[in-house]
Amino acid sequence: MESAISSPLSTSSHLLPSPSRSSLGSRSQSFPSLQNLRHPSFKSRCFLGVPFRSRQTQPIRCQSSNQQPAKDDGFVIEDVPHLTDFLSNLPVVVQKDDPRGVHFRRAGPREKVYFKSDEVRACIVTCGGLCPGINTVIREIVCGLNYMYGVEDILGIEGGYRGFYSKNTLRLTPKVVNDIHKRGGTFLRTSRGGHDTNKIVDNIQDRGINQVYIIGGDGTQKGAALIYKEVEKRGLQVAVAGIPKTIDNDIAVIDKSFGFDTAVEEAQRAINAAHVEVESVENGVGIVKLMGRYSGFIALYATLASRDVDCCLVPESPFYLEGRGGLFEFVEERLKENGHVVIVLAEGAGQEYVAQEMQVVDGKDASGNKLLLDVGLWLTEKIKDHFTKVQKMAINTKYIDPTYMIRAIPSNASDNIYCTLLAQSAVHGAMAGFSGFTVGPVNSRHAYIPISRVTETQNTVNLTDRMWARLLASTNQPSFLESNELHEIVDKEDVDVINHNMRATSI
């Protein structure tokens, strides 16, 4: 059975033009029973014997409202009425013709499995910063391997990538990991940097490990890609599976990263606290700094969810303080109207201004990420100085930074379910013999994605899409962009890429 997901994804500017469906090999997929998974009756390493099929597809043809919906190779579109149906002279915005998008293999269990359960020695490692849901992923990988496939030899690599060659390991069983999803952080501990591909693969080879599950963000997934390349170079029968993790939601291709929903929900507590504080004093100015090194998704979604925020500042949208249309003018207007103002600030916003004033040379952490200055404290002081010294106006500023509180909490119900799906998809993929892949939802369907694809670029807030427009409508804040600057952004982002479709095809 095959299915395709065909809704467009606007963040896929890095994608190649779509191959036709006929160029993709099809492998039939069925869902094995639990009995077959626990006690395999298959022959080891036989999954390549399944014949490939292909089929031709044609683009969807839109029909006007007075025509019958047309069937075209299994796809049906029932169109809604359009003004041009009865207003022939109405101008129409025409979008460029677009290929049907990039297809990925649908995630899930396979009829043919590559590994015998008693031959599997799996390992799990967590790297980079903390994020709600890591422990849930660890737990479900262990339980998935054991309950679904009967695998009992599972190792936890402690302390990130360094743990591979420092011999820090822990034997993992369903009993050991039973309650870890209720805790924040990572049960296996983590670290930044320390990636030595040759040493890591040497250790994998020496220990007889043949499945490697790597949980981490952009830098970690790049390391996973290097591990896979080295495994391939040495001709080792090792499946390398990545589970993308970033609280900032900046992993490309996939719909959403785990921990993001929890972070947005927890950020509401900080925003609500700031709102209560500034409502209770005269001319209260509350500033809440949220995570978002390069991408302002947490700030954006927390602002939309809160309804108490007057202004949201993100790294993708430059802002300025003084002059007409600047932040100072906006804050003054809100103070006169409401007597208080709440500003949500992503940690990566305005870094260039802070660096100029402090004359700081760019530094990087062990993962290669740029070290950020505290833009929250800087902005708090700038607003205080402007209104007390220039405007001669007494204000009460309240600054809240909940960064580590947010990322250290356990995942909520939504993320717990999502983490379970990710973990089980990774297990099914590795057991089926796939390698060098990461897992995640693409247009709401879980897929196996080449690791190199998710590390090509970072997902960022698009200032020309609907979510940012909704935020501007909700807060009524200035865009801080002149019309010519906005057109430049549109040109750079190649408007026609919003039509690129990415699909997970069940094969």
Side-chain angles (χ1 to χ4, degrees):
M1 180 177 67
E2 297 190 358
S3 61
I5 295 84
S6 57
S7 58
L9 184 67
S10 62
T11 57
S12 55
S13 58
H14 63 290
L15 295 180
L16 299 174
S18 166
S20 67
R21 285 283 297 277
S22 60
S23 67
L24 292 172
S26 298
R27 182 177 302 139
S28 62
Q29 172 187 342
S30 66
F31 291 79
S33 67
L34 186 60
Q35 179 73 15
N36 288 338
L37 290 173
R38 288 188 57 85
H39 306 287
S41 58
F42 51 81
K43 294 181 180 179
S44 180
R45 300 167 180 81
C46 64
F47 74 103
L48 291 176
V50 179
F52 284 82
R53 296 175 300 156
S54 64
R55 71 181 187 184
Q56 299 287 338
T57 58
Q58 301 295 329
I60 299 174
R61 296 174 182 172
C62 296
Q63 303 293 324
S64 63
S65 59
N66 57 357
Q67 293 176 317
Q68 293 297 321
K71 290 187 176 181
D72 196 343
D73 195 35
F75 290 92
V76 177
I77 181 168
E78 185 170 347
D79 208 359
V80 296
H82 193 273
L83 291 175
T84 53
D85 293 343
F86 56 89
L87 296 175
S88 57
N89 295 325
L90 191 71
V92 180
V93 178
V94 179
Q95 296 177 332
K96 293 181 180 179
D97 291 336
D98 174 67
R100 297 197 58 200
V102 174
H103 295 251
F104 298 114
R105 192 178 298 274
R106 182 78 176 270
R110 261 50 184 182
E111 183 178 10
K112 305 295 183 180
V113 184
Y114 182 85
F115 291 97
K116 290 182 178 178
S117 57
D118 56 359
E119 294 179 356
V120 173
R121 168 168 266 204
C123 74
I124 306 170
V125 64
T126 59
C127 308
L130 297 183
C131 175
I134 297 176
N135 283 334
T136 305
V137 175
I138 296 171
R139 181 189 188 278
E140 295 309 318
I141 291 174
V142 174
C143 292
L145 282 168
N146 187 268
Y147 294 157
M148 294 190 295
Y149 291 96
V151 174
E152 296 182 352
D153 194 358
I154 308 170
L155 298 176
I157 307 297
E158 297 183 292
Y161 277 135
R162 292 188 180 93
F164 276 104
Y165 43 89
S166 61
K167 308 297 182 182
N168 296 331
T169 60
L170 176 67
R171 186 69 178 268
L172 300 179
T173 65
K175 185 175 181 179
V176 170
V177 301
N178 185 52
D179 294 327
I180 65 173
H181 63 289
K182 299 176 183 177
R183 314 177 205 169
T186 167
F187 174 71
L188 296 176
R189 295 187 291 113
T190 186
S191 65
R192 292 188 182 276
H195 185 275
D196 188 319
T197 304
N198 287 322
K199 284 185 178 181
I200 291 171
V201 178
D202 286 343
N203 186 265
I204 291 171
Q205 196 169 3
D206 292 343
R207 289 180 176 275
I209 294 169
N210 51 20
Q211 289 187 14
V212 183
Y213 297 92
I214 302 173
I215 306 168
D218 180 68
T220 302
Q221 297 304 314
K222 288 178 180 177
L226 294 174
I227 291 171
Y228 164 69
K229 289 295 183 184
E230 184 63 23
V231 164
E232 183 184 43
K233 180 181 176 182
R234 299 187 188 188
L236 304 178
Q237 292 182 334
V238 177
V240 179
I243 296 90
K245 172 222 60 138
T246 169
I247 202 169
D248 292 344
N249 197 37
D250 59 0
I251 294 287
V253 180
I254 64 174
D255 297 347
K256 181 181 63 176
S257 56
F258 74 81
F260 178 69
D261 281 352
T262 305
V264 171
E265 184 177 301
E266 188 67 14
Q268 302 302 297
R269 299 176 184 268
I271 294 172
N272 182 62
H275 187 245
V276 170
E277 286 283 347
V278 298
E279 262 195 329
S280 304
V281 295
E282 184 180 3
N283 291 332
V285 178
I287 297 176
V288 180
K289 187 182 78 172
L290 299 176
M291 287 157 292
R293 183 182 298 272
Y294 304 112
S295 305
F297 286 106
I298 293 179
L300 188 159
Y301 279 79
T303 295
L304 278 173
S306 171
R307 311 294 176 181
D308 289 331
V309 179
D310 296 285
C311 185
C312 176
L313 304 175
V314 296
E316 296 87 344
S317 178
F319 67 92
Y320 56 96
L321 300 178
E322 299 176 348
R324 185 177 179 182
L327 184 62
F328 289 156
E329 181 184 74
F330 177 73
V331 170
E332 184 177 358
E333 290 176 356
R334 284 299 167 94
L335 288 176
K336 290 178 180 179
E337 290 175 7
N338 303 326
H340 63 271
V341 62
V342 176
I343 300 171
V344 166
L345 176 70
E347 61 182 339
Q351 285 293 316
E352 64 276 14
Y353 302 134
V354 191
Q356 287 174 5
E357 288 201 6
M358 296 186 176
Q359 298 180 344
V360 177
V361 179
D362 290 346
K364 295 186 177 181
D365 62 17
S367 297
N369 297 314
K370 181 180 178 181
L371 290 174
L372 299 180
L373 302 169
D374 196 333
V375 67
L377 283 175
W378 172 83
L379 184 60
T380 302
E381 291 301 316
K382 296 296 288 186
I383 290 176
K384 186 184 296 183
D385 289 346
H386 173 79
F387 283 96
T388 56
K389 296 178 181 179
V390 179
Q391 298 295 106
K392 306 299 181 182
M393 178 180 175
I395 63 170
N396 289 284
T397 56
K398 309 292 180 181
Y399 174 51
I400 298 177
D401 180 0
T403 301
Y404 293 102
M405 293 175 62
I406 290 176
R407 74 178 200 169
I409 65 171
S411 54
N412 63 12
S414 173
D415 271 321
N416 265 332
I417 295 170
Y418 181 31
C419 290
T420 300
L421 298 179
L422 291 174
Q424 292 184 358
S425 292
V427 168
H428 290 313
M431 289 299 295
F434 296 116
S435 186
F437 70 91
T438 190
V439 295
V442 180
N443 288 336
S444 76
R445 295 292 188 272
H446 283 253
Y448 297 133
I449 308 161
I451 293 179
S452 59
R453 175 68 78 178
V454 300
T455 59
E456 287 176 348
T457 186
Q458 286 183 312
N459 190 24
T460 57
V461 174
N462 185 349
L463 300 183
T464 63
D465 76 359
R466 294 179 180 178
M467 287 307 294
W468 186 249
R470 288 166 183 149
L471 180 138
L472 295 179
S474 176
T475 61
N476 198 27
Q477 69 185 63
S479 67
F480 301 108
L481 292 171
E482 300 293 338
S483 59
N484 59 329
E485 294 177 295
L486 189 59
H487 283 303
E488 288 178 9
I489 291 175
V490 172
D491 292 338
K492 287 179 182 177
E493 293 184 353
D494 240 343
V495 177
D496 61 323
V497 303
I498 67 173
N499 298 323
H500 278 293
N501 292 344
M502 298 172 61
R503 302 175 183 84
T505 303
S506 178
I507 54 178

mmCIF file of all heavy atoms in Angstrom, residues 5 29 31 104-110 421-422 424-429 434 437-441 445-449 504-507:
data_model
loop_
_atom_site.group_PDB
_atom_site.id
_atom_site.type_symbol
_atom_site.label_atom_id
_atom_site.label_comp_id
_atom_site.label_asym_id
_atom_site.label_seq_id
_atom_site.Cartn_x
_atom_site.Cartn_y
_atom_site.Cartn_z
ATOM 1 N N ILE A 5 2.055 12.363 0.843
ATOM 2 C CA ILE A 5 1.609 13.563 1.543
ATOM 3 C C ILE A 5 1.906 14.739 0.639
ATOM 4 O O ILE A 5 3.031 14.902 0.191
ATOM 5 C CB ILE A 5 2.353 13.721 2.880
ATOM 6 C CG1 ILE A 5 1.975 12.562 3.821
ATOM 7 C CG2 ILE A 5 2.013 15.008 3.551
ATOM 8 C CD1 ILE A 5 2.760 11.330 3.597
ATOM 9 N N GLN A 29 4.938 -2.470 1.923
ATOM 10 C CA GLN A 29 5.067 -2.420 3.369
ATOM 11 C C GLN A 29 3.837 -3.020 4.006
ATOM 12 O O GLN A 29 2.727 -2.696 3.662
ATOM 13 C CB GLN A 29 5.227 -0.974 3.845
ATOM 14 C CG GLN A 29 5.170 -0.833 5.355
ATOM 15 C CD GLN A 29 5.169 0.623 5.741
ATOM 16 O OE1 GLN A 29 5.538 1.465 4.955
ATOM 17 N NE2 GLN A 29 4.751 0.924 6.945
ATOM 18 N N PHE A 31 2.432 -4.447 8.061
ATOM 19 C CA PHE A 31 2.723 -4.283 9.461
ATOM 20 C C PHE A 31 2.767 -5.661 10.132
ATOM 21 O O PHE A 31 1.745 -6.319 10.285
ATOM 22 C CB PHE A 31 1.668 -3.401 10.131
ATOM 23 C CG PHE A 31 1.756 -1.996 9.659
ATOM 24 C CD1 PHE A 31 1.212 -1.627 8.432
ATOM 25 C CD2 PHE A 31 2.413 -1.047 10.400
ATOM 26 C CE1 PHE A 31 1.314 -0.338 7.985
ATOM 27 C CE2 PHE A 31 2.512 0.253 9.959
ATOM 28 C CZ PHE A 31 1.968 0.611 8.758
ATOM 29 N N PHE A 104 10.294 11.218 0.618
ATOM 30 C CA PHE A 104 11.076 10.448 1.568
ATOM 31 C C PHE A 104 10.371 9.131 1.854
ATOM 32 O O PHE A 104 9.156 9.021 1.718
ATOM 33 C CB PHE A 104 11.255 11.220 2.881
ATOM 34 C CG PHE A 104 12.004 12.512 2.737
ATOM 35 C CD1 PHE A 104 11.365 13.721 2.963
ATOM 36 C CD2 PHE A 104 13.327 12.514 2.370
ATOM 37 C CE1 PHE A 104 12.041 14.912 2.823
ATOM 38 C CE2 PHE A 104 14.018 13.707 2.240
ATOM 39 C CZ PHE A 104 13.371 14.915 2.459
ATOM 40 N N ARG A 105 11.137 8.162 2.286
ATOM 41 C CA ARG A 105 10.582 6.858 2.595
ATOM 42 C C ARG A 105 9.746 6.938 3.870
ATOM 43 O O ARG A 105 10.181 7.478 4.879
ATOM 44 C CB ARG A 105 11.706 5.845 2.764
ATOM 45 C CG ARG A 105 11.246 4.394 2.800
ATOM 46 C CD ARG A 105 12.447 3.466 2.918
ATOM 47 N NE ARG A 105 13.340 3.595 1.777
ATOM 48 C CZ ARG A 105 13.197 2.936 0.635
ATOM 49 N NH1 ARG A 105 12.172 2.118 0.485
ATOM 50 N NH2 ARG A 105 14.053 3.092 -0.339
ATOM 51 N N ARG A 106 8.552 6.402 3.827
ATOM 52 C CA ARG A 106 7.652 6.426 4.981
ATOM 53 C C ARG A 106 8.221 5.587 6.118
ATOM 54 O O ARG A 106 8.689 4.467 5.903
ATOM 55 C CB ARG A 106 6.275 5.902 4.565
ATOM 56 C CG ARG A 106 5.221 5.908 5.662
ATOM 57 C CD ARG A 106 4.649 7.302 5.876
ATOM 58 N NE ARG A 106 3.569 7.266 6.860
ATOM 59 C CZ ARG A 106 2.292 7.063 6.550
ATOM 60 N NH1 ARG A 106 1.935 6.879 5.285
ATOM 61 N NH2 ARG A 106 1.365 7.063 7.491
ATOM 62 N N ALA A 107 8.189 6.089 7.328
ATOM 63 C CA ALA A 107 8.697 5.374 8.489
ATOM 64 C C ALA A 107 7.693 4.321 8.946
ATOM 65 O O ALA A 107 6.500 4.432 8.692
ATOM 66 C CB ALA A 107 8.981 6.353 9.626
ATOM 67 N N GLY A 108 8.195 3.317 9.644
ATOM 68 C CA GLY A 108 7.316 2.296 10.187
ATOM 69 C C GLY A 108 7.901 0.905 10.053
ATOM 70 O O GLY A 108 8.963 0.712 9.458
ATOM 71 N N PRO A 109 7.228 -0.110 10.611
ATOM 72 C CA PRO A 109 7.731 -1.478 10.567
ATOM 73 C C PRO A 109 7.691 -2.051 9.164
ATOM 74 O O PRO A 109 6.850 -1.684 8.355
ATOM 75 C CB PRO A 109 6.783 -2.233 11.500
ATOM 76 C CG PRO A 109 5.526 -1.424 11.496
ATOM 77 C CD PRO A 109 5.952 0.008 11.347
ATOM 78 N N ARG A 110 8.629 -2.957 8.887
ATOM 79 C CA ARG A 110 8.735 -3.600 7.580
ATOM 80 C C ARG A 110 8.438 -5.090 7.684
ATOM 81 O O ARG A 110 8.624 -5.705 8.745
ATOM 82 C CB ARG A 110 10.153 -3.426 7.020
ATOM 83 C CG ARG A 110 10.329 -2.303 5.996
ATOM 84 C CD ARG A 110 9.776 -1.002 6.430
ATOM 85 N NE ARG A 110 9.883 0.022 5.374
ATOM 86 C CZ ARG A 110 9.490 1.260 5.532
ATOM 87 N NH1 ARG A 110 8.978 1.654 6.686
ATOM 88 N NH2 ARG A 110 9.596 2.128 4.556
ATOM 89 N N LEU A 421 6.731 8.167 19.058
ATOM 90 C CA LEU A 421 6.670 7.921 17.609
ATOM 91 C C LEU A 421 8.056 8.006 16.978
ATOM 92 O O LEU A 421 8.420 7.185 16.133
ATOM 93 C CB LEU A 421 5.727 8.918 16.945
ATOM 94 C CG LEU A 421 4.261 8.868 17.380
ATOM 95 C CD1 LEU A 421 3.453 9.943 16.656
ATOM 96 C CD2 LEU A 421 3.649 7.503 17.111
ATOM 97 N N LEU A 422 8.839 9.002 17.385
ATOM 98 C CA LEU A 422 10.193 9.155 16.845
ATOM 99 C C LEU A 422 11.053 7.938 17.183
ATOM 100 O O LEU A 422 11.758 7.390 16.330
ATOM 101 C CB LEU A 422 10.844 10.420 17.392
ATOM 102 C CG LEU A 422 10.276 11.762 16.932
ATOM 103 C CD1 LEU A 422 10.947 12.908 17.685
ATOM 104 C CD2 LEU A 422 10.469 11.949 15.425
ATOM 105 N N GLN A 424 10.186 4.843 18.111
ATOM 106 C CA GLN A 424 9.760 3.610 17.466
ATOM 107 C C GLN A 424 10.057 3.622 15.972
ATOM 108 O O GLN A 424 10.423 2.591 15.399
ATOM 109 C CB GLN A 424 8.273 3.374 17.722
ATOM 110 C CG GLN A 424 7.968 3.053 19.181
ATOM 111 C CD GLN A 424 6.512 2.714 19.420
ATOM 112 O OE1 GLN A 424 5.687 2.748 18.512
ATOM 113 N NE2 GLN A 424 6.186 2.397 20.652
ATOM 114 N N SER A 425 9.939 4.780 15.340
ATOM 115 C CA SER A 425 10.295 4.880 13.919
ATOM 116 C C SER A 425 11.778 4.581 13.714
ATOM 117 O O SER A 425 12.153 3.889 12.754
ATOM 118 C CB SER A 425 9.965 6.275 13.387
ATOM 119 O OG SER A 425 8.578 6.508 13.349
ATOM 120 N N ALA A 426 12.628 5.102 14.597
ATOM 121 C CA ALA A 426 14.067 4.851 14.496
ATOM 122 C C ALA A 426 14.377 3.367 14.672
ATOM 123 O O ALA A 426 15.194 2.798 13.940
ATOM 124 C CB ALA A 426 14.813 5.679 15.542
ATOM 125 N N VAL A 427 13.719 2.728 15.624
ATOM 126 C CA VAL A 427 13.929 1.300 15.869
ATOM 127 C C VAL A 427 13.507 0.472 14.651
ATOM 128 O O VAL A 427 14.245 -0.409 14.192
ATOM 129 C CB VAL A 427 13.157 0.843 17.130
ATOM 130 C CG1 VAL A 427 13.121 -0.679 17.223
ATOM 131 C CG2 VAL A 427 13.789 1.438 18.378
ATOM 132 N N HIS A 428 12.322 0.750 14.102
ATOM 133 C CA HIS A 428 11.856 0.018 12.924
ATOM 134 C C HIS A 428 12.821 0.195 11.752
ATOM 135 O O HIS A 428 13.109 -0.763 11.026
ATOM 136 C CB HIS A 428 10.462 0.501 12.511
ATOM 137 C CG HIS A 428 9.374 0.114 13.455
ATOM 138 N ND1 HIS A 428 9.234 -1.158 13.952
ATOM 139 C CD2 HIS A 428 8.340 0.842 13.988
ATOM 140 C CE1 HIS A 428 8.178 -1.211 14.763
ATOM 141 N NE2 HIS A 428 7.616 -0.017 14.789
ATOM 142 N N GLY A 429 13.323 1.410 11.569
ATOM 143 C CA GLY A 429 14.229 1.675 10.463
ATOM 144 C C GLY A 429 15.551 0.942 10.607
ATOM 145 O O GLY A 429 16.059 0.349 9.646
ATOM 146 N N PHE A 434 18.089 -0.008 7.398
ATOM 147 C CA PHE A 434 18.395 1.342 6.924
ATOM 148 C C PHE A 434 19.477 1.964 7.805
ATOM 149 O O PHE A 434 19.584 1.653 8.995
ATOM 150 C CB PHE A 434 17.152 2.221 6.933
ATOM 151 C CG PHE A 434 16.067 1.759 5.998
ATOM 152 C CD1 PHE A 434 14.845 1.343 6.489
ATOM 153 C CD2 PHE A 434 16.288 1.721 4.633
ATOM 154 C CE1 PHE A 434 13.848 0.902 5.636
ATOM 155 C CE2 PHE A 434 15.302 1.282 3.761
ATOM 156 C CZ PHE A 434 14.071 0.868 4.267
ATOM 157 N N PHE A 437 20.269 7.625 8.497
ATOM 158 C CA PHE A 437 19.002 8.331 8.387
ATOM 159 C C PHE A 437 18.637 8.983 9.713
ATOM 160 O O PHE A 437 19.154 8.639 10.775
ATOM 161 C CB PHE A 437 17.879 7.367 7.983
ATOM 162 C CG PHE A 437 17.494 6.375 9.053
ATOM 163 C CD1 PHE A 437 16.486 6.657 9.979
ATOM 164 C CD2 PHE A 437 18.137 5.146 9.141
ATOM 165 C CE1 PHE A 437 16.134 5.742 10.960
ATOM 166 C CE2 PHE A 437 17.793 4.227 10.121
ATOM 167 C CZ PHE A 437 16.790 4.512 11.034
ATOM 168 N N THR A 438 17.763 9.958 9.630
ATOM 169 C CA THR A 438 17.134 10.537 10.805
ATOM 170 C C THR A 438 15.625 10.438 10.616
ATOM 171 O O THR A 438 15.161 10.197 9.503
ATOM 172 C CB THR A 438 17.575 11.995 11.023
ATOM 173 O OG1 THR A 438 17.136 12.460 12.300
ATOM 174 C CG2 THR A 438 17.013 12.908 9.944
ATOM 175 N N VAL A 439 14.892 10.601 11.695
ATOM 176 C CA VAL A 439 13.443 10.409 11.626
ATOM 177 C C VAL A 439 12.720 11.694 12.001
ATOM 178 O O VAL A 439 13.240 12.529 12.736
ATOM 179 C CB VAL A 439 12.977 9.266 12.564
ATOM 180 C CG1 VAL A 439 13.535 7.950 12.104
ATOM 181 C CG2 VAL A 439 13.377 9.548 14.008
ATOM 182 N N GLY A 440 11.517 11.842 11.487
ATOM 183 C CA GLY A 440 10.707 13.003 11.825
ATOM 184 C C GLY A 440 9.512 13.112 10.920
ATOM 185 O O GLY A 440 9.468 12.489 9.848
ATOM 186 N N PRO A 441 8.521 13.905 11.321
ATOM 187 C CA PRO A 441 7.325 14.075 10.492
ATOM 188 C C PRO A 441 7.552 15.068 9.364
ATOM 189 O O PRO A 441 8.099 16.146 9.575
ATOM 190 C CB PRO A 441 6.287 14.602 11.497
ATOM 191 C CG PRO A 441 7.104 15.326 12.527
ATOM 192 C CD PRO A 441 8.418 14.623 12.609
ATOM 193 N N ARG A 445 3.469 13.181 8.262
ATOM 194 C CA ARG A 445 3.716 11.747 8.114
ATOM 195 C C ARG A 445 5.175 11.464 8.472
ATOM 196 O O ARG A 445 6.080 12.101 7.945
ATOM 197 C CB ARG A 445 3.430 11.286 6.678
ATOM 198 C CG ARG A 445 1.981 11.416 6.254
ATOM 199 C CD ARG A 445 1.088 10.444 7.011
ATOM 200 N NE ARG A 445 -0.264 10.415 6.489
ATOM 201 C CZ ARG A 445 -1.238 11.221 6.887
ATOM 202 N NH1 ARG A 445 -1.003 12.122 7.827
ATOM 203 N NH2 ARG A 445 -2.450 11.124 6.358
ATOM 204 N N HIS A 446 5.382 10.508 9.366
ATOM 205 C CA HIS A 446 6.748 10.214 9.804
ATOM 206 C C HIS A 446 7.526 9.540 8.679
ATOM 207 O O HIS A 446 7.014 8.645 8.000
ATOM 208 C CB HIS A 446 6.725 9.345 11.056
ATOM 209 C CG HIS A 446 6.389 10.135 12.284
ATOM 210 N ND1 HIS A 446 7.321 10.462 13.247
ATOM 211 C CD2 HIS A 446 5.232 10.698 12.699
ATOM 212 C CE1 HIS A 446 6.749 11.179 14.199
ATOM 213 N NE2 HIS A 446 5.482 11.332 13.891
ATOM 214 N N ALA A 447 8.779 9.977 8.514
ATOM 215 C CA ALA A 447 9.573 9.536 7.371
ATOM 216 C C ALA A 447 11.009 9.279 7.790
ATOM 217 O O ALA A 447 11.472 9.736 8.836
ATOM 218 C CB ALA A 447 9.534 10.593 6.263
ATOM 219 N N TYR A 448 11.718 8.527 6.942
ATOM 220 C CA TYR A 448 13.159 8.345 7.072
ATOM 221 C C TYR A 448 13.841 9.333 6.134
ATOM 222 O O TYR A 448 13.605 9.317 4.929
ATOM 223 C CB TYR A 448 13.558 6.912 6.729
ATOM 224 C CG TYR A 448 12.969 5.886 7.672
ATOM 225 C CD1 TYR A 448 12.360 4.729 7.184
ATOM 226 C CD2 TYR A 448 13.012 6.082 9.047
ATOM 227 C CE1 TYR A 448 11.820 3.795 8.051
ATOM 228 C CE2 TYR A 448 12.465 5.157 9.918
ATOM 229 C CZ TYR A 448 11.866 4.022 9.417
ATOM 230 O OH TYR A 448 11.328 3.111 10.289
ATOM 231 N N ILE A 449 14.681 10.179 6.702
ATOM 232 C CA ILE A 449 15.294 11.273 5.959
ATOM 233 C C ILE A 449 16.803 11.117 6.022
ATOM 234 O O ILE A 449 17.352 10.872 7.101
ATOM 235 C CB ILE A 449 14.908 12.638 6.580
ATOM 236 C CG1 ILE A 449 13.384 12.735 6.734
ATOM 237 C CG2 ILE A 449 15.456 13.792 5.769
ATOM 238 C CD1 ILE A 449 12.952 13.795 7.730
ATOM 239 N N ALA A 504 6.323 12.109 2.382
ATOM 240 C CA ALA A 504 6.799 10.817 2.849
ATOM 241 C C ALA A 504 6.005 9.744 2.114
ATOM 242 O O ALA A 504 4.796 9.672 2.241
ATOM 243 C CB ALA A 504 6.586 10.688 4.347
ATOM 244 N N THR A 505 6.669 8.958 1.309
ATOM 245 C CA THR A 505 5.995 7.942 0.509
ATOM 246 C C THR A 505 6.166 6.579 1.162
ATOM 247 O O THR A 505 7.275 6.168 1.449
ATOM 248 C CB THR A 505 6.571 7.908 -0.921
ATOM 249 O OG1 THR A 505 6.442 9.209 -1.483
ATOM 250 C CG2 THR A 505 5.816 6.910 -1.780
ATOM 251 N N SER A 506 5.081 5.905 1.356
ATOM 252 C CA SER A 506 5.109 4.607 2.030
ATOM 253 C C SER A 506 5.573 3.533 1.064
ATOM 254 O O SER A 506 4.834 3.129 0.176
ATOM 255 C CB SER A 506 3.717 4.264 2.561
ATOM 256 O OG SER A 506 3.707 3.005 3.166
ATOM 257 N N ILE A 507 6.834 3.118 1.209
ATOM 258 C CA ILE A 507 7.397 2.087 0.317
ATOM 259 C C ILE A 507 8.257 1.138 1.116
ATOM 260 O O ILE A 507 8.686 1.428 2.213
ATOM 261 C CB ILE A 507 8.217 2.698 -0.837
ATOM 262 C CG1 ILE A 507 9.286 3.644 -0.283
ATOM 263 C CG2 ILE A 507 7.344 3.413 -1.800
ATOM 264 C CD1 ILE A 507 10.165 4.246 -1.346
#
